Amino acid sequence: MSKYLMLLAALLGFVNVHAAEVEVLHWWTAKGEAEAQGILEDALLEQNIKWNNFAIVGAGGESAVRVLQMRALSGNPPDVAHIKGPDIGEWAKIGMLENIGKIADTSTWPDFLPKIVRETVTFDGQYMAVPVNIHRVNWLWLNKAIFDELDLPLPTTWQGFFATANKIQAAGYIAIAHGGTAWQDALLFESMALSLLGPEKYKQAFVEYNEALLTSAEMIHVFEQFKRLYQYTDSSMRGKDWYQASQLISNNQAGMQFMGDWAMGMWNTQGKKAMVDYICIDVPESKGLFSYNIDSFVFFEKNGRKNSREIQRSFIDILLSEKFQAEFNLAKGSIPVRQGINMDQLNQCAHKSFTDFNNGQLVPSFTQNLASTSHLQNIISKIISNYFNNPSADAATTVNSLSLAIRAIKN
Ligand code: BGC
């Protein structure tokens, strides 16, 4: 039922006017994201649950996590928050989260949720969050019009990529649309590092923090290659957000962008079509590699809890329902977290993502907090970003700083 029908029904006395409210913290404010969030809001309203919006602008969620910490410290967390990866465990450890298994029947989750998804929301053997979607982070997006106009082949190797970037720049376009905040710089690095190191070494370095590998000649080489990307980005975009960079692709001002598929959600809501307006390809030399980002919601345990178990259960049921999974992921640019969903409406990029997720080699995206807590991830991203933006920064010194910072935080 749309909001308007709901309102009419309420006015006519068909439904309880005093809908229960659920305050939800999230950072889905860009086009595509906001549309997807609206689908969730509408689905809740159909169950007479009102979405109380606690949106914190700031992609990547850094500001949202900070605000959440303040609210939680003052004893007033929201009812629900968009928290993912190892941060779930951090909140669970201090006893602030509801055990999802105590609210809803999770015994069937293994029937329709992939193991890696279940593991991501599990802490200490218990489900502590509800997964909602799967984003792929290591994509390279191409502007079809520019590629057609310049008759460019799709870059599958780094050598080909740099040759393509030179041609796009020579033709007067921005070669790489890039927003230039720390997490976006780190996302560029992550995509390249996964490609050059391969999945095993990527995991050793950025999931297990193997010091020898982090400071190796191979890692120095990765940093040096990463720095080569800088000259293809546009200096006026420093400090801008991902969607401002993605807009350069939809405006035909830039040829390529490295970004998670939430960018596709934005282009789709702008009426752009996969393979017609934009093309999705693997990051060069990354065929079959999939860095995953799984969005999920946690439920805060509160003294004198406002939300009844029924409301929480309805929220969880909606998140995992087949209808919601199909509609939400279409707008969000992600793929359903639930297996067996009708994928007819999803485009070729989403289908490729689905195939690669099920058959490819999966690694957690560290820039999206899937490999470490947001605290550690922010520090890693800042070191990478400082190196990227400082022309005189040197790769050997940077890998040492990175390894020292990780050791200091881990110990
Ligand atoms: C979230 C996505 C979101 C993106 C950009 C990521 O950290 O997981 O859901 O679309 O940030 O805001």
Side-chain angles (χ1 to χ4, degrees):
M1 201 189 299
S2 76
K3 279 180 212 167
Y4 303 103
L5 279 180
M6 193 72 196
L7 187 64
L8 186 64
L11 287 173
L12 295 173
F14 295 154
V15 292
N16 179 3
V17 192
H18 304 290
E21 279 204 7
V22 178
E23 189 186 29
V24 188
L25 177 134
H26 66 97
W27 61 92
W28 288 338
T29 52
K31 255 187 183 302
E33 295 181 331
E35 180 153 321
Q37 180 264 307
I39 291 172
L40 177 53
E41 187 171 336
D42 284 350
L44 286 163
L45 203 54
E46 278 183 30
Q47 303 293 323
N48 209 18
I49 302 172
K50 191 175 169 307
W51 175 278
N52 182 353
N53 204 23
F54 185 8
I56 305 290
V57 180
E62 200 179 328
S63 320
V65 170
R66 235 178 286 124
V67 174
L68 179 60
Q69 283 163 349
M70 311 268 281
R71 281 278 302 262
L73 277 177
S74 62
N76 181 28
D79 302 303
V80 177
H82 173 203
I83 296 286
K84 49 186 176 144
D87 278 351
I88 299 169
E90 293 295 293
W91 287 101
K93 227 184 270 173
I94 51 173
M96 297 210 58
L97 302 186
E98 295 273 15
N99 179 336
I100 303 299
K102 293 205 172 134
I103 306 173
D105 176 15
T106 52
S107 66
T108 54
W109 282 19
D111 302 341
F112 57 79
L113 293 180
K115 186 162 176 274
I116 205 142
V117 170
R118 282 181 280 124
E119 284 170 358
T120 303
V121 294
T122 297
F123 174 73
D124 222 3
Q126 307 293 320
Y127 295 128
M128 301 304 291
V130 185
V132 65
N133 64 353
I134 302 166
H135 276 300
R136 180 182 189 162
V137 180
N138 63 332
W139 282 115
L140 179 61
W141 306 96
L142 312 176
N143 174 294
K144 175 93 164 46
I146 295 177
F147 269 70
D148 284 351
E149 181 201 317
L150 305 178
D151 199 17
L152 298 171
L154 307 185
T156 53
T157 62
W158 285 108
Q159 200 187 4
F161 174 87
F162 286 114
T164 303
N166 285 331
K167 286 187 194 149
I168 297 175
Q169 220 170 34
Y173 296 109
I174 298 164
I176 305 178
H178 182 65
T181 57
W183 74 267
Q184 291 176 83
D185 293 341
L187 185 147
L188 271 187
F189 173 84
E190 171 179 296
S191 297
M192 201 172 206
L194 174 57
S195 156
L196 296 179
L197 295 170
E200 288 318 315
K201 285 189 180 162
Y202 168 93
K203 280 193 252 178
Q204 281 166 29
F206 299 107
V207 182
E208 295 154 20
Y209 307 114
N210 177 310
E211 273 193 39
L213 185 57
L214 276 171
T215 52
S216 65
E218 202 173 353
M219 191 61 77
I220 293 174
H221 173 72
V222 173
F223 270 89
E224 286 166 353
Q225 291 304 303
F226 163 58
K227 190 78 156 246
R228 289 178 67 192
L229 299 172
Y230 187 86
Q231 60 191 302
Y232 300 105
T233 62
D234 185 49
S235 55
S236 71
M237 292 300 290
R238 303 277 170 263
K240 298 273 167 42
D241 230 324
W242 66 269
Y243 53 87
Q244 293 164 294
S246 299
Q247 191 64 47
L248 298 175
I249 298 281
S250 39
N251 289 348
N252 297 336
Q253 287 172 267
M256 305 186 273
Q257 186 179 14
F258 293 85
M259 190 43 63
D261 37 25
W262 45 88
M264 177 161 81
M266 167 177 143
W267 294 321
N268 292 350
T269 56
Q270 294 179 327
K272 303 288 178 192
K273 297 261 173 300
M275 304 309 166
V276 175
D277 301 300
Y278 63 85
I279 300 175
C280 52
I281 60 169
D282 296 308
V283 165
E285 298 172 35
S286 298
K287 203 169 167 20
L289 305 183
F290 190 114
S291 59
Y292 64 86
N293 173 28
I294 299 170
D295 286 320
S296 52
F297 287 102
V298 297
F299 290 70
F300 278 89
E301 196 162 83
K302 297 168 90 169
N303 291 334
R305 187 190 312 115
K306 274 195 287 156
N307 298 139
S308 70
R309 282 281 187 245
E310 278 67 33
I311 291 168
Q312 294 179 324
R313 197 170 304 125
S314 297
F315 201 126
I316 294 169
D317 287 349
I318 288 169
L319 288 175
L320 293 175
S321 75
E322 295 190 22
K323 180 170 178 286
F324 173 76
Q325 282 283 313
E327 290 173 359
F328 174 84
N329 284 293
L330 190 61
K332 190 69 176 71
S334 42
I335 55 171
V337 78
R338 194 181 167 126
Q339 299 283 297
I341 299 295
N342 183 342
M343 304 267 294
D344 290 354
Q345 301 250 28
L346 297 181
N347 66 25
Q348 276 165 275
C349 300
H351 279 274
K352 176 171 165 42
S353 180
F354 189 75
T355 308
D356 288 349
F357 180 80
N358 287 301
N359 305 318
Q361 300 189 64
L362 307 178
V363 301
S365 162
F366 76 81
T367 62
Q368 299 308 307
N369 299 1
L370 265 286
S372 68
T373 60
S374 50
H375 177 55
L376 179 54
Q377 176 263 322
N378 285 337
I379 286 165
I380 296 175
S381 293
K382 286 205 174 94
I383 293 173
I384 293 171
S385 178
N386 288 343
Y387 166 78
F388 192 58
N389 290 290
N390 176 354
S392 57
D394 125 281
T397 315
T398 304
V399 297
N400 282 326
S401 319
L402 184 62
S403 148
L404 282 175
I406 292 173
R407 198 195 310 156
I409 291 175
K410 295 297 280 177
N411 293 334

